[in-house]
Amino acid sequence: MNTTKQRVTVLGATGSVGVSTLDVIARHPDRFEVFALSAATKVDEMLAQCARFSPKFAVMASAAHAELLADKLVRNGLPTRVLMGAGALESIASHEETDAVMAAIVGAAGLGPCLAAARAGKRLLLANKEALVVGGDLFMSTVRAGGATLLPIDSEHSAIFQSLPEDPSTWARRIDKIILTASGGPFRTRLPASLTHVTPEEACAHPNWVMGRKISVDSATMMNKALEVIEARHLFGVQPEQIEVVIHPQSVVHSMVQFTDSSVIAQLGTPDMRVPIAVGLSWPERIESGATRLDFRQMAALTFDSPNAELFPGLDLAWQALRAAPGTTAVLNAANEVAVEAFLDRRLRFDRIHAVNMETLEVVHPSKPQSLGDLLALDATARAAANAAALRFAA
């Protein structure tokens, strides 16, 4: 066993995935040490993390938050150096002293540091959907060119990864289809007409998982699953028609692979993000995650059903975007981020999130992005169109 500690950079350290990552790291001080952390605005949470894990660097999104953190670190006698901005994120993600990068920044802001880590050949633990949904082929080609090790952290994609043979060169001839499971969120038993007056608090009350507000809303609309379909297409090299989604309310079976001989291999576990995080940190070994073990003797029935297209109209946008012009998935992602933000700010009704996404896809016609600059420009164009649509559909 390698006794050298793995130096980990956690991007989005104060979010739910970042906090869970640090929990797993803290359980294995002989294996891991924290090299750098990043956060957007949560200065006090970052201060506490710096006090506990003593990172070399801490990155904040703005100069004001960086200055405030730096002042508090000095007053507490802590040596962590504070940086700020997008360039600093890319710097800590690609730093020569970083061995592994947990990419847990929500939104397109995570794309730059993900590409930087990929170019630098890092062990990249990918919890940022946008790297694949926005970056697509450009991101995957960067991973290959940089020699990075890409390990999916979404529970569904981690489950698929764990269910596949270790040699990716065999996947194409072995996989018949990938089956992504979805809890159905808090509204799976509701009538579509009843969603008109859903509040942000209701949409964020996920029955199984503890997540951030944006991804909780995506779970309620099942847009999270649409984005996961796009991710799976790039991660595992399958065609869109080889990806299926089933509703599994118990969130015990995290996803499955059906092989060409008709056998199905699934990964099961409690709904705790520390499990896929532990897999990503230690693969191909296994380490203790802190998650509760399944007790099959106490388990209720496991059920599976088809998604209700009327209740979750956004789900089909995944396949539509994958079959459209390159860059369309980036447009969909940007539109959805704008629409969800408007809903959380109570400027847009829950049932109009899909309308904003649809209108944005209709008015923005991308050409194939060739660089990060192209992707960011497309993202900005799509956001402008989505904001205009959100104003028209305003609550």
Side-chain angles (χ1 to χ4, degrees):
M1 177 179 171
N2 186 0
T3 56
T4 303
K5 288 186 181 182
Q6 189 176 164
R7 293 163 296 189
V8 184
T9 287
V10 183
L11 306 175
T14 60
S16 59
V17 173
V19 170
S20 293
T21 300
L22 292 173
D23 180 85
V24 175
I25 287 173
R27 293 171 186 275
H28 302 278
D30 57 324
R31 296 184 64 118
F32 307 109
E33 63 181 69
V34 174
F35 173 71
L37 301 172
S38 86
T41 60
K42 296 180 179 178
V43 171
D44 289 337
E45 288 90 334
M46 177 60 78
L47 176 65
Q49 290 178 348
C50 289
R52 184 176 184 188
F53 294 99
S54 302
K56 191 168 185 177
F57 298 104
V59 176
M60 301 301 293
S62 72
H65 290 100
E67 184 177 346
L68 183 58
L69 175 63
D71 179 64
K72 292 192 175 191
L73 287 168
V74 169
R75 285 193 279 116
N76 283 273
L78 299 173
T80 299
R81 181 182 172 190
V82 181
L83 307 173
M84 61 78 61
L89 289 175
E90 294 185 20
S91 176
I92 61 172
S94 59
H95 199 285
E96 62 180 7
E97 293 183 48
T98 294
D99 298 313
V101 177
M102 168 56 77
I105 295 175
V106 175
L111 179 57
C114 283
L115 284 167
R119 282 193 297 270
K122 302 302 182 183
R123 184 184 185 97
L124 181 54
L125 282 60
L126 192 63
N128 172 278
K129 295 179 182 298
E130 289 72 23
L132 287 163
V133 176
V134 178
D137 292 333
L138 176 64
F139 176 71
M140 291 304 296
S141 64
T142 305
V143 169
R144 290 188 291 270
T149 300
L150 185 61
L151 295 159
I153 300 302
D154 271 355
S155 61
E156 295 82 0
H157 299 104
S158 178
I160 295 162
F161 177 78
Q162 294 177 64
S163 299
L164 286 169
E166 285 194 26
D167 184 358
S169 69
T170 69
W171 292 354
R173 68 173 184 269
R174 294 189 183 195
I175 297 173
D176 178 43
K177 65 180 176 179
I178 283 171
I179 305 167
L180 294 168
T181 57
S183 70
F187 305 139
R188 67 179 179 82
T189 61
R190 295 270 291 265
L191 294 173
S194 72
L195 300 181
T196 302
H197 300 296
V198 162
T199 67
E201 291 74 22
E202 290 173 311
C204 291
H206 196 282
N208 299 338
W209 296 90
V210 177
M211 304 180 293
R213 281 161 58 82
K214 194 270 181 181
I215 193 171
S216 294
V217 175
D218 283 347
S219 180
T221 63
M222 276 192 67
M223 182 53 66
N224 72 319
K225 210 54 52 177
L227 299 179
E228 286 170 15
V229 168
I230 296 167
E231 288 182 274
R233 159 73 181 92
H234 292 292
L235 278 169
F236 306 112
V238 295
Q239 297 304 309
E241 57 269 20
Q242 289 179 278
I243 307 170
E244 180 181 330
V245 172
V246 298
I247 301 292
H248 171 52
Q250 296 80 21
S251 295
V252 171
V253 177
H254 295 308
S255 278
M256 301 168 271
V257 179
Q258 182 167 294
F259 291 90
T260 51
D261 60 4
S262 297
S263 64
V264 177
I265 295 180
Q267 187 266 339
L268 286 70
T270 50
D272 190 322
M273 282 303 298
R274 289 177 297 178
V275 175
I277 289 166
V279 170
L281 285 168
S282 66
W283 189 263
E285 297 179 39
R286 297 275 183 169
I287 59 173
E288 196 271 328
S289 67
T292 303
R293 267 67 170 169
L294 283 179
D295 184 347
F296 286 88
R297 296 165 299 182
Q298 301 297 320
M299 193 178 297
L302 303 181
T303 60
F304 303 89
D305 201 358
S306 298
N308 182 329
E310 188 179 359
L311 190 61
F312 304 115
L315 180 59
D316 191 56
L317 293 180
W319 289 273
Q320 293 180 36
L322 284 169
R323 295 184 182 112
T328 302
T329 58
V331 174
L332 174 60
N333 176 77
N336 185 63
E337 284 192 19
V338 168
V340 170
E341 182 180 10
F343 165 69
L344 288 171
D345 289 344
R346 304 179 195 275
R347 294 182 283 110
L348 186 73
R349 282 188 357 208
F350 178 83
D351 62 334
R352 290 176 175 167
I353 292 173
H354 178 63
V356 171
N357 292 340
M358 285 289 293
E359 181 165 316
T360 306
L361 288 171
E362 289 169 3
V363 300
V364 179
H365 306 288
S367 56
K368 185 176 182 179
Q370 302 288 339
S371 66
L372 176 59
D374 290 347
L375 289 170
L376 294 177
L378 178 58
D379 179 78
T381 299
R383 286 174 189 276
N387 274 306
L391 282 173
R392 281 192 291 277
F393 290 109

